[in-house]
Amino acid sequence: MLRRSVLGLAGGLLAMPSLARAQAWPARPVTMVVPWAAGGGADSVTRIFVSGLEQELGVPVNVVNRTGGNGVVGHSAIATARPDGYTLGVASSEISYFRALGMAEISPDSFDILSRLATIPAGVTVRAGSPWKSVQEMLAAIKEGRKGLYTASGSGLGGSWHIALAGMLRAAGMEADQVRWVPSQGGAPAMQDVVAGGISMATCSPIEGKPLIDAGQARGLAVMGRNRLEVLPGLPTLVESGLDWTFENWFALVGPRGLPEETHRRLLEAAGRAQAKPEVRGLLAQRGIVPVWETPDAAGRFARDYAVTAAELLRALGLAKA
């Protein structure tokens, strides 16, 4: 009996280092990959969230921007990282349609999705001198005009803001490509083109056009979110304008598939507390970003359903490869 007790104690002592390692996460700094450039929406969401997450984890969380391939490089880096909890990322809605566009074999199922962190609604913004005073007037003109007469921008071809436009046109009873899309490097360059008269409208987030709206150089017609924006309360939603369409770009806290169960649990708890901090939610709201927190199951379902809608619109635009 004594020998068995000694052996049992020895076995327990041998098991303790691995147990301690499992319970010690995080024992060193965590890397948070952002697949987009510094200063953009994904970067802003990440850095605000990380300010709260560092407090909860008690270790540095280093934000690393891994750009390239229209988001493919950074998202691939997250999906293929060692699943130990030390490399995480903030994925954008592009993970739901990389495959449909034939850009990469990346889908929501490539990640361990913990929760969406935030949404940024699309909108409709025109130059200040535009004859359109409402989204109804704009849609009526588009419907009456020939296909391709009017132009829009806000992202690359097949990007989030292009899909937002396609859905709005379909909801208004038109073909998804009734308005010709002009690819751009983002919402800010698109807004400059709107003000200069180079394109008819931008369907990026109205927040990206807010400085020009405030300066009297641009006019916001609508927001595609479920609710009006606190920072632009005068903009009606499309639903208020009689159109059954909403579109919000979204960002999610993700890791590579296969995170250890205990690490997943600790991360989920710490991230939930971080996202609930008033200072985190306040900073997001000040930028017109809507904070979100949900269960992993709800986040995964949303991403997969979104992929179905996005693929349908990309097919209608003639852009889907799969």
Side-chain angles (χ1 to χ4, degrees):
M1 289 180 62
L2 178 61
R3 183 171 180 274
R4 284 199 299 270
S5 298
V6 170
L7 289 173
L9 177 61
L13 290 171
L14 288 171
M16 284 181 67
S18 61
L19 180 62
R21 283 195 298 272
Q23 292 178 335
W25 185 90
R28 54 186 170 85
V30 172
T31 295
M32 189 72 71
V33 176
V34 182
W36 303 100
D43 185 69
S44 297
V45 168
T46 303
R47 292 180 187 277
I48 293 171
F49 168 69
V50 159
S51 69
L53 185 62
E54 283 187 323
Q55 296 175 41
E56 294 299 326
L57 293 182
V59 298
V61 180
N62 302 314
V63 177
V64 176
N65 298 88
R66 291 287 301 274
T67 60
N70 289 322
V72 170
V73 171
H75 285 104
S76 295
I78 302 166
T80 59
R82 183 193 297 271
D84 57 7
Y86 289 101
T87 300
L88 305 170
V90 172
S92 58
S93 55
E94 280 76 9
I95 64 171
S96 289
Y97 46 87
F98 277 140
R99 185 173 290 170
L101 287 169
M103 295 175 63
E105 282 300 308
I106 295 175
S107 74
D109 293 332
S110 303
F111 304 90
D112 189 333
I113 303 178
L114 287 96
S115 173
R116 283 183 299 160
L117 294 175
T119 62
I120 301 179
V124 181
T125 310
V126 298
R127 63 185 178 88
S130 168
W132 303 324
K133 301 297 192 298
S134 69
V135 73
Q136 294 97 328
E137 291 180 2
M138 182 196 76
L139 290 170
I142 293 171
K143 187 174 289 189
E144 292 171 6
R146 61 175 172 79
K147 187 174 184 177
L149 173 63
Y150 297 107
T151 53
S153 190
S155 66
L157 195 68
S160 295
W161 305 139
H162 191 185
I163 292 175
L165 171 67
M168 178 180 70
L169 295 174
R170 286 272 293 264
M174 290 179 269
E175 293 183 23
D177 59 350
Q178 177 72 12
V179 171
R180 181 167 61 87
W181 188 256
V182 179
S184 71
Q185 294 299 312
M191 282 305 309
Q192 292 297 330
D193 285 345
V194 166
V195 170
I199 56 175
S200 310
M201 71 200 76
T203 53
C204 55
S205 169
I207 301 306
E208 296 176 278
K210 188 176 185 300
L212 294 170
I213 293 173
D214 291 344
Q217 295 179 272
R219 177 188 302 138
L221 298 184
V223 60
M224 298 190 199
R226 292 167 178 78
N227 302 294
R228 294 193 181 201
L229 291 169
E230 291 183 19
V231 293
L232 286 168
L235 285 188
T237 66
L238 286 184
V239 175
E240 287 179 82
S241 303
L243 203 63
D244 186 19
W245 173 248
T246 60
F247 186 93
E248 297 168 323
N249 201 3
W250 52 271
F251 307 93
L253 175 63
V254 302
R257 291 185 64 82
L259 290 175
E261 183 177 346
E262 182 64 13
T263 300
H264 186 281
R265 183 187 66 80
R266 289 174 180 239
L267 173 59
L268 193 61
E269 291 176 354
R273 291 193 299 268
Q275 186 69 347
K277 290 180 181 293
E279 59 269 31
V280 169
R281 300 180 73 84
L283 285 171
L284 290 171
Q286 285 173 22
R287 289 161 174 76
I289 302 170
V290 182
V292 178
W293 189 255
E294 59 203 344
T295 66
D297 285 345
R301 282 196 306 273
F302 176 89
R304 288 187 290 273
D305 290 345
Y306 181 95
V308 173
T309 301
E312 180 186 349
L313 288 169
L314 288 169
R315 282 192 292 270
L317 289 168
L319 298 175
K321 303 293 191 298

